[in-house]
Amino acid sequence: MNLNQIINMIIRIFLRRGINWGINKGMSMVSNRNKQPKSMTPQERAQSQQMRDATKRARKAARITRRF
């Protein structure tokens, strides 16, 4: 095993751990977001509802375009 392979292996290990940490952190943030609805202002709630509606419309459009 030469030095290049060892370095690549070490870099892969650190990258994998860093990416997994970031994914886990993001997933925990998303899952905790819905647990505190009372801390949102009415304006934030309205904006959140608009974003959910836009997401639904985008998913419907994607489904429709896949059919054709």
Side-chain angles (χ1 to χ4, degrees):
M1 192 176 245
N2 61 20
L3 187 61
N4 190 28
Q5 289 174 325
I6 294 171
I7 291 172
N8 284 338
M9 183 176 62
I10 292 171
I11 289 173
R12 250 186 276 124
I13 290 170
F14 284 117
L15 277 176
R16 188 180 312 126
R17 285 184 183 175
I19 291 170
N20 285 337
W21 177 82
I23 290 171
N24 290 335
K25 191 76 164 172
M27 292 303 289
S28 66
M29 286 177 63
V30 168
S31 66
N32 289 335
R33 183 178 64 181
N34 293 330
K35 292 182 181 176
Q36 302 171 351
K38 294 178 183 171
S39 65
M40 293 173 69
T41 64
Q43 185 180 14
E44 289 173 334
R45 283 193 193 103
Q47 185 180 10
S48 176
Q49 182 63 40
Q50 289 173 352
M51 291 300 292
R52 281 194 296 269
D53 292 341
T55 304
K56 285 181 185 178
R57 284 194 303 272
R59 284 186 184 138
K60 278 185 183 178
R63 264 185 259 140
I64 289 171
T65 55
R66 263 186 260 144
R67 291 179 189 166
F68 296 111

